[in-house]
Amino acid sequence: MTAHPRVLPDPAWAIGKHALMNLAVRLRNGRTEIDPSSWRIPYQWQGTHYQDNDDQPFLLLINSGGGFVEGDTAHLHATLDPGSRALITTTAASKFYKCPSGETSAEHITIAVGAGALLEYCPDEAIPFAGSRVLRRTRIDIAEDSRLFATDMISAGRIHYGRSGEAFDFHALDSEFVVNLDGVPLIIDRQMATQPDEVAALARMWDGACHQATVIIWGDLPEGIEDRIEQTLDGLGGVKAGASRQGRLLSCRILAAETWMCHEAIHEVWKHVRPALAGKPARLIRKC
Amino acid sequence: MIPVGLAVPPGNGCDPFLSILQVTSSAFPTGSFSHSYGFECWLADRTIATPEQAEVRLRDWLRFTVATADAVAVAHAFREVLYAEMAGIAGLNRTVEALKLSREAREASAKSGAAFMAAFRDIFGLEATGRLAVIMEAHGQKPHHAVVYGVACAGMGWSEAQTVETYLYGSFSSLAAVLGRLLPIGQSDLQRIIAAAAPLILECSEIARARPLNDMSTLNSALDVAAMRHERLPSRLCMS
């Protein structure tokens, strides 16, 4: 029996301001099932789907708040049984609204993937609105024989809002996307734009793109797949991307002009790796 | 060859000025002249086509990649030697590696680290880098350039400010020299770019030395893309 430790709510957490979801991903009844061992609003539990019509549940995480108002915090904590497999995504982008009082809005994701388990974690993008202060922490722990497809996408803001948009108009973005292998850091994709010159430089750092994604893959992958991924991404308009491989680790960095272009690039990477990771093709995830 | 006895902490009365000149000299064998960290890809696709474009990207690299990541590791490695008996050096080295997203970025850092370690062993017979080698071996790790640099300079008796500033200067001037070979930039223009970076180097040193270990980070996503794409560049003069 796998232990599924939970994050317990702090009594100081304000109701409605501090979301919490504890998930236990279990092997049961010949398939993987996800139990919400506890949750607090604005996270909502509405069950899972088996969109591939097999043993793998798809969880569409719902934050009924619609976004992060100043000072809002969310914690998602999940543990996958050894040998289980699950896909976790969101119903919509994580929108971080303006923080006029100087407070920070925060999102904490921690997922432990058991031995031989497969996690496909592909949330929608984070959108830091003008004037927002954003703290993001995503930590995924894997074992040597786990399999992982994990994405992290950040937009520059509400790109097409109003006449000129809101790109890179937030006050602070402190974002960390970490994958640990057997407790040791494998990838630390930490981006801190908390000073005015750092926020101002981001447009240059992203080479004029408005959306950025990181894709981290861990598993037994075919020879030369990184070359084929990069070749595919080269064929997408409005996208600049690279792929790099070290043994079982494959990382991709994607920069894109538009949201849909970034989503398409991520999906193309998934199409390449999913047959090797999950033994089945990638699919368009139904969210409605 | 400098006698081993010269490389001792300042408490023993040694002025580190000459050793600073030697270690920061382009003749010091670190292999950094063969690494572009992805810049060669920008030259190949004409993202960088002029000395002015090269200077902007060099300065951004120093401020938003080196100052907030590797130079922070230099400062912390330096403190590990002086104040912590290197108890956290293996963890620091792992963090430095994990922050590098592409294979070539990791390999460049590890290769420079190995070259630096060998140079300090062979030239100065430095005890601190000898201990680092033992720790790295025990943890099955390859020492990264920033970590070796911080440890070695602490062992040489430099100050923390000298260590971080020379690391920043050396990183900037080495990469500028690499670009000088690949772009039509005159020697004087190249030196002007390096001279103009002096205030930025001091600013970056302040940033690096004040930054906590858990805030080591980089912002240059476009360079990550370039570094990854460099792996498949058909014609290349640099290893990274």
Side-chain angles (χ1 to χ4, degrees):
Chain A
M1 185 77 179
T2 304
H4 292 277
R6 289 185 296 171
V7 172
L8 297 174
D10 187 316
W13 291 355
I15 300 292
K17 292 284 289 178
H18 208 126
L20 172 65
M21 176 72 76
N22 280 297
L23 299 173
V25 181
R26 305 178 191 278
L27 268 180
R28 189 168 56 204
N29 302 321
R31 62 181 188 174
T32 299
E33 297 182 354
I34 302 179
D35 291 339
S37 49
S38 65
W39 75 91
R40 282 163 58 106
I41 58 168
Y43 273 151
Q44 298 278 0
W45 174 256
Q46 291 192 357
T48 57
H49 313 250
Y50 290 82
Q51 295 195 14
D52 284 329
N53 298 308
D54 57 14
D55 59 298
Q56 182 181 12
F58 284 34
L59 172 68
L60 278 61
L61 191 66
I62 299 171
N63 185 331
S64 61
F68 291 75
V69 177
E70 179 171 26
D72 281 2
T73 300
H75 280 273
L76 168 69
H77 183 72
T79 310
L80 275 70
D81 268 356
S84 63
R85 59 178 184 173
L87 182 147
I88 300 176
T89 184
T90 50
T91 52
S94 293
K95 296 173 280 293
F96 290 88
Y97 304 128
K98 64 186 175 186
C99 299
S101 301
E103 283 191 68
T104 296
S105 306
E107 183 177 42
H108 300 268
I109 312 288
T110 54
I111 306 176
V113 186
L118 165 67
L119 171 67
E120 294 176 300
Y121 178 67
C122 30
D124 288 284
E125 64 275 15
I127 306 177
F129 281 36
S132 61
R133 294 180 186 279
V134 181
L135 177 80
R136 303 176 69 240
R137 294 285 181 268
T138 302
R139 196 189 81 200
I140 300 174
D141 289 283
I142 60 173
E144 179 67 36
D145 62 350
S146 305
R147 289 157 293 151
L148 175 71
F149 176 84
T151 69
D152 186 48
M153 178 175 163
I154 304 171
S155 297
R158 288 187 293 178
I159 305 308
H160 297 292
Y161 178 73
R163 288 182 165 217
S164 54
E166 284 186 349
F168 305 109
D169 210 7
F170 43 83
H171 282 320
L173 172 68
D174 178 352
S175 183
E176 185 180 285
F177 178 48
V178 173
V179 178
N180 293 320
L181 174 62
D182 292 329
V184 172
L186 179 69
I187 284 284
I188 302 174
D189 183 20
R190 189 182 289 138
Q191 302 186 43
M192 293 180 66
T194 56
Q195 303 300 315
D197 68 327
E198 292 169 337
V199 176
L202 271 177
R204 295 199 307 280
M205 301 295 103
W206 291 14
D207 249 353
C210 291
H211 308 274
Q212 176 211 264
T214 308
V215 184
I216 301 299
I217 299 143
W218 179 261
D220 291 326
L221 300 168
E223 189 84 15
I225 195 169
E226 65 276 22
D227 300 343
R228 295 191 288 279
I229 287 172
E230 202 171 277
Q231 196 173 28
T232 300
L233 298 181
D234 280 350
L236 303 178
V239 170
K240 290 180 187 171
S244 184
R245 167 101 174 260
Q246 292 176 87
R248 304 190 79 207
L249 171 67
L250 198 156
S251 51
C252 300
R253 183 75 100 191
I254 298 165
L255 297 168
E258 298 289 347
T259 307
W260 66 268
M261 293 172 181
C262 206
H263 285 176
E264 188 171 293
I266 291 170
H267 189 72
E268 289 298 326
V269 177
W270 197 33
K271 279 166 68 176
H272 274 282
V273 301
R274 199 176 198 220
L277 289 179
K280 54 188 173 181
R283 57 173 299 118
L284 293 172
I285 302 169
R286 291 186 66 100
K287 298 200 173 182
C288 299
Chain B
M1 179 173 167
I2 290 183
V4 171
L6 192 61
V8 294
N12 289 355
C14 181
D15 182 349
F17 179 66
L18 288 177
S19 65
I20 289 176
L21 287 179
Q22 182 176 8
V23 171
T24 56
S25 159
S26 60
F28 199 76
T30 65
S32 58
F33 61 87
S34 58
H35 295 292
S36 81
Y37 310 107
F39 273 66
E40 188 177 23
C41 207
W42 279 342
L43 293 162
D45 68 15
R46 306 286 292 167
T47 298
I48 296 177
T50 67
E52 292 74 22
Q53 290 168 337
E55 182 174 9
V56 169
R57 297 218 173 219
L58 272 168
R59 292 174 67 93
D60 278 346
W61 173 72
L62 192 76
R63 168 64 183 87
F64 301 111
T65 299
V66 184
T68 53
D70 278 358
V72 182
V74 170
H76 283 274
F78 182 95
R79 293 170 199 161
E80 279 286 329
V81 175
L82 263 60
Y83 311 121
E85 297 184 345
M86 293 204 228
I89 205 78
L92 174 63
N93 194 65
R94 280 205 194 280
T95 300
V96 169
E97 177 163 303
L99 281 161
K100 299 180 189 311
L101 211 54
S102 71
R103 175 174 58 79
E104 285 192 353
R106 290 182 176 196
E107 288 176 354
S109 177
K111 282 177 181 163
S112 296
F116 226 84
M117 189 112 100
F120 275 95
R121 179 193 62 218
D122 298 342
I123 300 167
F124 299 111
L126 206 60
E127 191 266 341
T129 47
R131 281 174 55 207
L132 176 63
V134 171
I135 294 169
M136 293 291 102
E137 176 82 25
H139 286 82
Q141 294 183 36
K142 294 176 180 172
H144 285 276
H145 183 206
V147 173
V148 178
Y149 196 91
V151 168
C153 296
M156 296 289 284
W158 301 5
S159 71
E160 184 182 299
Q162 287 169 333
T163 299
V164 177
E165 285 166 21
T166 54
Y167 182 83
L168 290 159
Y169 170 81
S171 300
F172 188 89
S173 60
S174 289
L175 186 52
V178 168
L179 298 191
R181 290 204 313 272
L182 302 174
L183 262 180
I185 305 178
Q187 284 294 317
S188 297
D189 283 341
L190 194 64
Q191 291 304 318
R192 183 194 56 75
I193 289 172
I194 295 170
L200 178 65
I201 288 169
L202 295 178
E203 181 193 337
C204 287
S205 176
E206 294 295 318
I207 291 167
R209 294 177 62 202
R211 208 166 181 99
L213 194 59
N214 288 338
D215 287 353
M216 285 172 64
S217 58
T218 66
L219 285 179
N220 210 329
S221 300
L223 186 58
D224 290 333
V225 171
M228 290 175 174
R229 297 181 67 82
H230 188 267
E231 295 174 17
R232 280 166 284 282
L233 204 60
S235 169
R236 38 192 271 168
L237 297 172
C238 297
M239 295 166 73
S240 71

